[in-house]
Amino acid sequence: MKQLNLSCILVLSLLGSLSLQFGKNQLAAEEAPPWAVLKPVADQSPLPGTQPLTDQGDLSAKMIEGIDRFLLKQIAIAAENRSHAWQRDLSSSAAYEKSVMPQKQELMRMLGISDPVISGRFSYVGSAPQSVENQFTIYEVTWPVLNDLTGAGLLLVPAGKILGDVVAVPEADQAPETLVSSDQTGGNYAQQLARSGFRVLIPTLINRDLNKWNLSQREWLHRPAFELGRTLAGYEVQKIMAGVQQLKQTSADSSRPTGVIGWGEGGRLALYAAALDPDIDATAVCGYFGPREQLWQEPADRNVFGQLNLLGDAEIASLVAPRTLIIENGTYPRYGYRTTADGKLEVISDHYPKLKGKPGKLLVPGKDDVRQEFARSQEFVSGLKPDAPSLALIETDDAVASQTLQVFIASLDAAAKLATTVKPLEIKSAAQADARHDAQLAEIERHNQRLLQLAYETRIEFMKNLKTGSLTEFEKSVEPYRELFKKDVVGEFALKLLPANARTRKYQEGPKTISYQVEMDVFPDVTAYGILTLPKDLKLDGSEKRPVVVTQHGLEGRPRHTVGEEKYRAYKSFSTHLAERGFITFAPQNPYILFDRFRTLQFKAQSIGRTLFSIAVPQHQQLTDWLKTLPFVDGKRIGFYGISYGGKSAMRIPPLVDNYALSICSADFGEWVWKNAATDQRSLRYSYANKGEYEIFEWNLGGTFNYAEMAALICPRPFMVERGHFDGVEPDDRVAQEYAKVRFLYQAQLGIGDRTTIEWIKGPHAIHEQGAYEFLHQHLNWPVPAE
């Protein structure tokens, strides 16, 4: 028993000793945390050779404000420069049509109209035909548009002589039945046209109701379509054009005229359809016409990439000539999503709202604005021979006014008289309206998903001119793809960089590092900002030159997050830790901060065929050019290492900034097109299609550059992926599948497999450091520090 007690005492003593030691170790751990311990410096003197940085404000917010001013000026410049892209030949109608064909083709490309409309006949569906006072009959119909896409709506057929055919396009939030029997604004006029002797087809448009993710139905369909090189407006224009074709094919008189009329969204689509379809003889655009430079304020589904470089409303109107175009300067529909009571866009600062989509509103121009835009359209075609085209502006306070309808039908048949009788009707098909709409929505969603499945082969065809017989052959053949990526995907501001005029000040100090805040000029109003961190043992006199790692933060990140303790779980102080290993690091501010403030910048940029990376690329060009001027920097050894949104940057910036000797994509690489365009229930856990990042969608990546194709633009420079198994961005198999294509290019085709790798980590959405650090030491040729 005594022996047992003695043993217990010894064990307890040992445990006490271990506990004491553990406590000491814990204290030591607390005294030496894993993150970089940095302190502000009192001395804010500049880096030698630079100007003092004296601005004490938020340099990141200043950068965003400057980009905003820059983009608004670029939109104004685009409007001024549009005329340079046009060479109208006014000598004859045939010559004019030929001269504007490039602009028509460009409009089709912008709308994503690339698949031909198929032929077929109306199918009579739904409720039985409904005769109205023996004057006209209402049919529910569908008609073929594309192989897996149909139009659906109502067909009104007069009982007597048919004077002409009309497609009446409703406002998005109007069911076709509204145009037959409703006294709401913009209603009833299809009934009036049918009573006047015109056969009327009324298509169903996708409405703006909110779905279960609090996105408008139109934005929900437009998001994946945009990623795949299509637009919702393009689909609906094709439905109108296919409807015109059906009316032509089912007409007993081949000379019977065809017109299109619409209000609100219907007016917009009628204008586009008339610009593109010469079979449309007359068009009336109501509740949509005016200056379009505020396109970025409109709902997301109205986003047309690059439209304002070539086309305002007046320019589109000029494409209709010499056919008849009537603009009604009357009442416009009102709609706002995430807008304030006075119609301003709602801006948030610290959270995602319950409503996840883009803030947007329908623009309501002033009467004078409409007159001025109409006058521009007149100027474009006033000299057209032999006769001036038929352009009319009707001033009214109504929506689809009787005056407009009379001028419209008279342009189709000079003897036509507008019926004055319009009666409330019980429309049998109204019971089917919601189901018809939902079927149309589901059909477009399925079509998008089919395009997503086909996109893999589309990109193979797109990249077929890339030669891999040798490195020399590859480097020559990849350049046209880089140029296309720069101009058509990222978007380029072909402006000369300003002198950098770098302003700096000392910022923080650690046991082994000293850092500086750096600001420099890029374009007028556009600055670049970041934190330069130097090892303390670095000789600044130029007697040694070291490699640089540009360390890029993620969404809503700041340069300081990559440097010290703040947000350590994701960033691991990797800017400072790399400097402690002997690298110079630079942590830039990229323009994806301040929530809606940066997201609306994306739409401003996209309206003129640019993106946020159109700003980020020249910022990185400027900062790397400046780094190369520093006497202690080896300009041939500058690497890029970005996480999350910084990983997106790692795929888009190094291809276009050849100062970067390598790129590391952390916590973002994967099947990017799928992640943006997939809407099936199993994929929505990962997909952006139903998320709050409404700016993330990029025009036609599905048909051009997924991440493997972007990596090919980085090749033959070293490229690495850092992937955490428990990163919720994408599942492992999607990442592996996309990276396999990168590995195949580097290793199997070019024989440089030692220049690429992927590190699989049992970890979350975070910097891992280990494998990436080894990659940086190897490919930037810097020795690993002794332990």
Side-chain angles (χ1 to χ4, degrees), residues 682-702:
R682 287 180 295 179
S683 300
L684 283 175
R685 171 186 171 187
Y686 303 101
S687 175
Y688 279 124
N690 65 339
K691 304 297 191 301
E693 289 89 343
Y694 57 83
E695 89 298 340
I696 208 81
F697 306 94
E698 296 161 282
W699 172 248
N700 196 26
L701 285 192

PDB file of all heavy atoms in Angstrom, residues 682-702:
ATOM      1  N   ARG A 682     -28.151  20.317 -57.175  1.00  0.00           N
ATOM      2  CA  ARG A 682     -26.936  19.788 -56.555  1.00  0.00           C
ATOM      3  C   ARG A 682     -25.764  20.751 -56.692  1.00  0.00           C
ATOM      4  O   ARG A 682     -24.870  20.766 -55.854  1.00  0.00           O
ATOM      5  CB  ARG A 682     -26.581  18.429 -57.159  1.00  0.00           C
ATOM      6  CG  ARG A 682     -27.501  17.307 -56.708  1.00  0.00           C
ATOM      7  CD  ARG A 682     -27.119  15.987 -57.330  1.00  0.00           C
ATOM      8  NE  ARG A 682     -27.290  15.990 -58.779  1.00  0.00           N
ATOM      9  CZ  ARG A 682     -27.015  14.973 -59.575  1.00  0.00           C
ATOM     10  NH1 ARG A 682     -26.548  13.862 -59.063  1.00  0.00           N
ATOM     11  NH2 ARG A 682     -27.215  15.056 -60.879  1.00  0.00           N
ATOM     12  N   SER A 683     -25.761  21.555 -57.744  1.00  0.00           N
ATOM     13  CA  SER A 683     -24.641  22.467 -57.979  1.00  0.00           C
ATOM     14  C   SER A 683     -24.797  23.794 -57.248  1.00  0.00           C
ATOM     15  O   SER A 683     -23.807  24.514 -57.070  1.00  0.00           O
ATOM     16  CB  SER A 683     -24.495  22.746 -59.480  1.00  0.00           C
ATOM     17  OG  SER A 683     -24.249  21.561 -60.201  1.00  0.00           O
ATOM     18  N   LEU A 684     -26.011  24.138 -56.822  1.00  0.00           N
ATOM     19  CA  LEU A 684     -26.242  25.467 -56.279  1.00  0.00           C
ATOM     20  C   LEU A 684     -25.530  25.700 -54.953  1.00  0.00           C
ATOM     21  O   LEU A 684     -25.372  26.851 -54.531  1.00  0.00           O
ATOM     22  CB  LEU A 684     -27.744  25.722 -56.124  1.00  0.00           C
ATOM     23  CG  LEU A 684     -28.464  26.046 -57.433  1.00  0.00           C
ATOM     24  CD1 LEU A 684     -29.955  26.171 -57.204  1.00  0.00           C
ATOM     25  CD2 LEU A 684     -27.918  27.310 -58.070  1.00  0.00           C
ATOM     26  N   ARG A 685     -25.092  24.634 -54.306  1.00  0.00           N
ATOM     27  CA  ARG A 685     -24.268  24.816 -53.096  1.00  0.00           C
ATOM     28  C   ARG A 685     -23.000  25.590 -53.442  1.00  0.00           C
ATOM     29  O   ARG A 685     -22.489  26.376 -52.642  1.00  0.00           O
ATOM     30  CB  ARG A 685     -23.919  23.457 -52.494  1.00  0.00           C
ATOM     31  CG  ARG A 685     -22.902  23.525 -51.362  1.00  0.00           C
ATOM     32  CD  ARG A 685     -22.495  22.137 -50.907  1.00  0.00           C
ATOM     33  NE  ARG A 685     -21.386  22.191 -49.974  1.00  0.00           N
ATOM     34  CZ  ARG A 685     -20.741  21.125 -49.511  1.00  0.00           C
ATOM     35  NH1 ARG A 685     -21.126  19.918 -49.894  1.00  0.00           N
ATOM     36  NH2 ARG A 685     -19.736  21.256 -48.680  1.00  0.00           N
ATOM     37  N   TYR A 686     -22.474  25.363 -54.622  1.00  0.00           N
ATOM     38  CA  TYR A 686     -21.215  25.968 -55.038  1.00  0.00           C
ATOM     39  C   TYR A 686     -21.417  27.129 -56.008  1.00  0.00           C
ATOM     40  O   TYR A 686     -20.573  28.009 -56.105  1.00  0.00           O
ATOM     41  CB  TYR A 686     -20.335  24.920 -55.729  1.00  0.00           C
ATOM     42  CG  TYR A 686     -20.047  23.702 -54.885  1.00  0.00           C
ATOM     43  CD1 TYR A 686     -20.751  22.516 -55.079  1.00  0.00           C
ATOM     44  CD2 TYR A 686     -19.077  23.737 -53.897  1.00  0.00           C
ATOM     45  CE1 TYR A 686     -20.491  21.391 -54.316  1.00  0.00           C
ATOM     46  CE2 TYR A 686     -18.809  22.612 -53.118  1.00  0.00           C
ATOM     47  CZ  TYR A 686     -19.514  21.445 -53.335  1.00  0.00           C
ATOM     48  OH  TYR A 686     -19.255  20.339 -52.570  1.00  0.00           O
ATOM     49  N   SER A 687     -22.489  27.120 -56.753  1.00  0.00           N
ATOM     50  CA  SER A 687     -22.669  28.049 -57.868  1.00  0.00           C
ATOM     51  C   SER A 687     -22.917  29.473 -57.385  1.00  0.00           C
ATOM     52  O   SER A 687     -23.539  29.708 -56.345  1.00  0.00           O
ATOM     53  CB  SER A 687     -23.852  27.593 -58.722  1.00  0.00           C
ATOM     54  OG  SER A 687     -24.113  28.524 -59.741  1.00  0.00           O
ATOM     55  N   TYR A 688     -22.434  30.429 -58.177  1.00  0.00           N
ATOM     56  CA  TYR A 688     -22.733  31.833 -57.935  1.00  0.00           C
ATOM     57  C   TYR A 688     -24.095  32.230 -58.493  1.00  0.00           C
ATOM     58  O   TYR A 688     -24.533  33.373 -58.297  1.00  0.00           O
ATOM     59  CB  TYR A 688     -21.669  32.722 -58.589  1.00  0.00           C
ATOM     60  CG  TYR A 688     -20.399  32.863 -57.782  1.00  0.00           C
ATOM     61  CD1 TYR A 688     -19.169  32.534 -58.339  1.00  0.00           C
ATOM     62  CD2 TYR A 688     -20.412  33.357 -56.481  1.00  0.00           C
ATOM     63  CE1 TYR A 688     -17.992  32.669 -57.615  1.00  0.00           C
ATOM     64  CE2 TYR A 688     -19.245  33.494 -55.747  1.00  0.00           C
ATOM     65  CZ  TYR A 688     -18.039  33.153 -56.321  1.00  0.00           C
ATOM     66  OH  TYR A 688     -16.877  33.290 -55.605  1.00  0.00           O
ATOM     67  N   ALA A 689     -24.761  31.336 -59.197  1.00  0.00           N
ATOM     68  CA  ALA A 689     -26.003  31.703 -59.871  1.00  0.00           C
ATOM     69  C   ALA A 689     -27.056  32.237 -58.909  1.00  0.00           C
ATOM     70  O   ALA A 689     -27.884  33.070 -59.295  1.00  0.00           O
ATOM     71  CB  ALA A 689     -26.559  30.499 -60.636  1.00  0.00           C
ATOM     72  N   ASN A 690     -27.040  31.802 -57.654  1.00  0.00           N
ATOM     73  CA  ASN A 690     -28.047  32.240 -56.682  1.00  0.00           C
ATOM     74  C   ASN A 690     -27.437  32.983 -55.498  1.00  0.00           C
ATOM     75  O   ASN A 690     -28.057  33.097 -54.451  1.00  0.00           O
ATOM     76  CB  ASN A 690     -28.851  31.038 -56.178  1.00  0.00           C
ATOM     77  CG  ASN A 690     -27.988  30.057 -55.393  1.00  0.00           C
ATOM     78  OD1 ASN A 690     -26.765  30.043 -55.530  1.00  0.00           O
ATOM     79  ND2 ASN A 690     -28.618  29.216 -54.579  1.00  0.00           N
ATOM     80  N   LYS A 691     -26.216  33.492 -55.663  1.00  0.00           N
ATOM     81  CA  LYS A 691     -25.508  34.135 -54.549  1.00  0.00           C
ATOM     82  C   LYS A 691     -25.511  35.653 -54.682  1.00  0.00           C
ATOM     83  O   LYS A 691     -26.001  36.221 -55.652  1.00  0.00           O
ATOM     84  CB  LYS A 691     -24.065  33.618 -54.493  1.00  0.00           C
ATOM     85  CG  LYS A 691     -23.915  32.113 -54.388  1.00  0.00           C
ATOM     86  CD  LYS A 691     -24.502  31.542 -53.113  1.00  0.00           C
ATOM     87  CE  LYS A 691     -24.118  30.073 -52.894  1.00  0.00           C
ATOM     88  NZ  LYS A 691     -24.524  29.169 -53.966  1.00  0.00           N
ATOM     89  N   GLY A 692     -24.920  36.298 -53.686  1.00  0.00           N
ATOM     90  CA  GLY A 692     -24.921  37.760 -53.628  1.00  0.00           C
ATOM     91  C   GLY A 692     -23.850  38.435 -54.451  1.00  0.00           C
ATOM     92  O   GLY A 692     -23.875  39.659 -54.596  1.00  0.00           O
ATOM     93  N   GLU A 693     -22.912  37.664 -55.013  1.00  0.00           N
ATOM     94  CA  GLU A 693     -21.825  38.268 -55.806  1.00  0.00           C
ATOM     95  C   GLU A 693     -22.315  38.525 -57.235  1.00  0.00           C
ATOM     96  O   GLU A 693     -21.900  37.859 -58.179  1.00  0.00           O
ATOM     97  CB  GLU A 693     -20.597  37.350 -55.814  1.00  0.00           C
ATOM     98  CG  GLU A 693     -19.871  37.288 -54.495  1.00  0.00           C
ATOM     99  CD  GLU A 693     -20.396  36.202 -53.554  1.00  0.00           C
ATOM    100  OE1 GLU A 693     -21.515  35.704 -53.784  1.00  0.00           O
ATOM    101  OE2 GLU A 693     -19.711  35.868 -52.588  1.00  0.00           O
ATOM    102  N   TYR A 694     -23.178  39.497 -57.384  1.00  0.00           N
ATOM    103  CA  TYR A 694     -23.858  39.687 -58.667  1.00  0.00           C
ATOM    104  C   TYR A 694     -22.935  40.246 -59.739  1.00  0.00           C
ATOM    105  O   TYR A 694     -23.302  40.265 -60.919  1.00  0.00           O
ATOM    106  CB  TYR A 694     -25.091  40.577 -58.495  1.00  0.00           C
ATOM    107  CG  TYR A 694     -24.835  41.940 -57.887  1.00  0.00           C
ATOM    108  CD1 TYR A 694     -24.389  43.004 -58.667  1.00  0.00           C
ATOM    109  CD2 TYR A 694     -25.052  42.172 -56.534  1.00  0.00           C
ATOM    110  CE1 TYR A 694     -24.164  44.251 -58.117  1.00  0.00           C
ATOM    111  CE2 TYR A 694     -24.828  43.414 -55.971  1.00  0.00           C
ATOM    112  CZ  TYR A 694     -24.377  44.447 -56.768  1.00  0.00           C
ATOM    113  OH  TYR A 694     -24.154  45.687 -56.217  1.00  0.00           O
ATOM    114  N   GLU A 695     -21.752  40.724 -59.366  1.00  0.00           N
ATOM    115  CA  GLU A 695     -20.819  41.278 -60.359  1.00  0.00           C
ATOM    116  C   GLU A 695     -19.894  40.226 -60.956  1.00  0.00           C
ATOM    117  O   GLU A 695     -19.129  40.512 -61.885  1.00  0.00           O
ATOM    118  CB  GLU A 695     -19.950  42.361 -59.689  1.00  0.00           C
ATOM    119  CG  GLU A 695     -18.667  41.882 -59.033  1.00  0.00           C
ATOM    120  CD  GLU A 695     -18.851  40.901 -57.864  1.00  0.00           C
ATOM    121  OE1 GLU A 695     -19.947  40.836 -57.276  1.00  0.00           O
ATOM    122  OE2 GLU A 695     -17.881  40.192 -57.543  1.00  0.00           O
ATOM    123  N   ILE A 696     -19.951  38.996 -60.469  1.00  0.00           N
ATOM    124  CA  ILE A 696     -18.926  37.999 -60.750  1.00  0.00           C
ATOM    125  C   ILE A 696     -18.965  37.479 -62.183  1.00  0.00           C
ATOM    126  O   ILE A 696     -17.985  36.932 -62.687  1.00  0.00           O
ATOM    127  CB  ILE A 696     -19.066  36.828 -59.738  1.00  0.00           C
ATOM    128  CG1 ILE A 696     -17.727  36.143 -59.502  1.00  0.00           C
ATOM    129  CG2 ILE A 696     -20.113  35.834 -60.177  1.00  0.00           C
ATOM    130  CD1 ILE A 696     -16.847  36.853 -58.533  1.00  0.00           C
ATOM    131  N   PHE A 697     -20.077  37.652 -62.858  1.00  0.00           N
ATOM    132  CA  PHE A 697     -20.282  37.015 -64.160  1.00  0.00           C
ATOM    133  C   PHE A 697     -19.540  37.785 -65.256  1.00  0.00           C
ATOM    134  O   PHE A 697     -19.624  39.006 -65.334  1.00  0.00           O
ATOM    135  CB  PHE A 697     -21.779  36.910 -64.458  1.00  0.00           C
ATOM    136  CG  PHE A 697     -22.514  36.224 -63.345  1.00  0.00           C
ATOM    137  CD1 PHE A 697     -23.104  36.960 -62.329  1.00  0.00           C
ATOM    138  CD2 PHE A 697     -22.553  34.844 -63.281  1.00  0.00           C
ATOM    139  CE1 PHE A 697     -23.745  36.328 -61.270  1.00  0.00           C
ATOM    140  CE2 PHE A 697     -23.190  34.210 -62.223  1.00  0.00           C
ATOM    141  CZ  PHE A 697     -23.775  34.951 -61.219  1.00  0.00           C
ATOM    142  N   GLU A 698     -18.825  37.038 -66.092  1.00  0.00           N
ATOM    143  CA  GLU A 698     -17.996  37.624 -67.150  1.00  0.00           C
ATOM    144  C   GLU A 698     -18.499  37.137 -68.505  1.00  0.00           C
ATOM    145  O   GLU A 698     -18.813  35.964 -68.676  1.00  0.00           O
ATOM    146  CB  GLU A 698     -16.531  37.240 -66.952  1.00  0.00           C
ATOM    147  CG  GLU A 698     -15.944  37.792 -65.658  1.00  0.00           C
ATOM    148  CD  GLU A 698     -14.694  37.063 -65.235  1.00  0.00           C
ATOM    149  OE1 GLU A 698     -14.817  35.939 -64.681  1.00  0.00           O
ATOM    150  OE2 GLU A 698     -13.594  37.593 -65.450  1.00  0.00           O
ATOM    151  N   TRP A 699     -18.507  38.030 -69.469  1.00  0.00           N
ATOM    152  CA  TRP A 699     -19.125  37.759 -70.754  1.00  0.00           C
ATOM    153  C   TRP A 699     -18.429  36.614 -71.489  1.00  0.00           C
ATOM    154  O   TRP A 699     -17.230  36.647 -71.752  1.00  0.00           O
ATOM    155  CB  TRP A 699     -19.109  39.026 -71.601  1.00  0.00           C
ATOM    156  CG  TRP A 699     -19.555  38.829 -73.013  1.00  0.00           C
ATOM    157  CD1 TRP A 699     -18.803  38.929 -74.132  1.00  0.00           C
ATOM    158  CD2 TRP A 699     -20.884  38.479 -73.462  1.00  0.00           C
ATOM    159  NE1 TRP A 699     -19.561  38.680 -75.255  1.00  0.00           N
ATOM    160  CE2 TRP A 699     -20.846  38.396 -74.872  1.00  0.00           C
ATOM    161  CE3 TRP A 699     -22.095  38.226 -72.808  1.00  0.00           C
ATOM    162  CZ2 TRP A 699     -21.972  38.080 -75.633  1.00  0.00           C
ATOM    163  CZ3 TRP A 699     -23.206  37.915 -73.562  1.00  0.00           C
ATOM    164  CH2 TRP A 699     -23.149  37.839 -74.950  1.00  0.00           C
ATOM    165  N   ASN A 700     -19.207  35.573 -71.788  1.00  0.00           N
ATOM    166  CA  ASN A 700     -18.841  34.478 -72.680  1.00  0.00           C
ATOM    167  C   ASN A 700     -17.570  33.739 -72.296  1.00  0.00           C
ATOM    168  O   ASN A 700     -16.845  33.258 -73.168  1.00  0.00           O
ATOM    169  CB  ASN A 700     -18.715  34.980 -74.124  1.00  0.00           C
ATOM    170  CG  ASN A 700     -18.733  33.825 -75.122  1.00  0.00           C
ATOM    171  OD1 ASN A 700     -19.293  32.752 -74.852  1.00  0.00           O
ATOM    172  ND2 ASN A 700     -18.115  34.014 -76.273  1.00  0.00           N
ATOM    173  N   LEU A 701     -17.292  33.589 -71.008  1.00  0.00           N
ATOM    174  CA  LEU A 701     -16.177  32.709 -70.633  1.00  0.00           C
ATOM    175  C   LEU A 701     -16.470  31.274 -71.051  1.00  0.00           C
ATOM    176  O   LEU A 701     -15.550  30.512 -71.339  1.00  0.00           O
ATOM    177  CB  LEU A 701     -15.930  32.769 -69.121  1.00  0.00           C
ATOM    178  CG  LEU A 701     -15.251  34.023 -68.583  1.00  0.00           C
ATOM    179  CD1 LEU A 701     -14.818  33.799 -67.141  1.00  0.00           C
ATOM    180  CD2 LEU A 701     -14.067  34.458 -69.419  1.00  0.00           C
ATOM    181  N   GLY A 702     -17.743  30.904 -71.080  1.00  0.00           N
ATOM    182  CA  GLY A 702     -18.094  29.541 -71.469  1.00  0.00           C
ATOM    183  C   GLY A 702     -17.578  29.168 -72.843  1.00  0.00           C
ATOM    184  O   GLY A 702     -17.213  28.013 -73.083  1.00  0.00           O
TER     185      GLY A 702
END
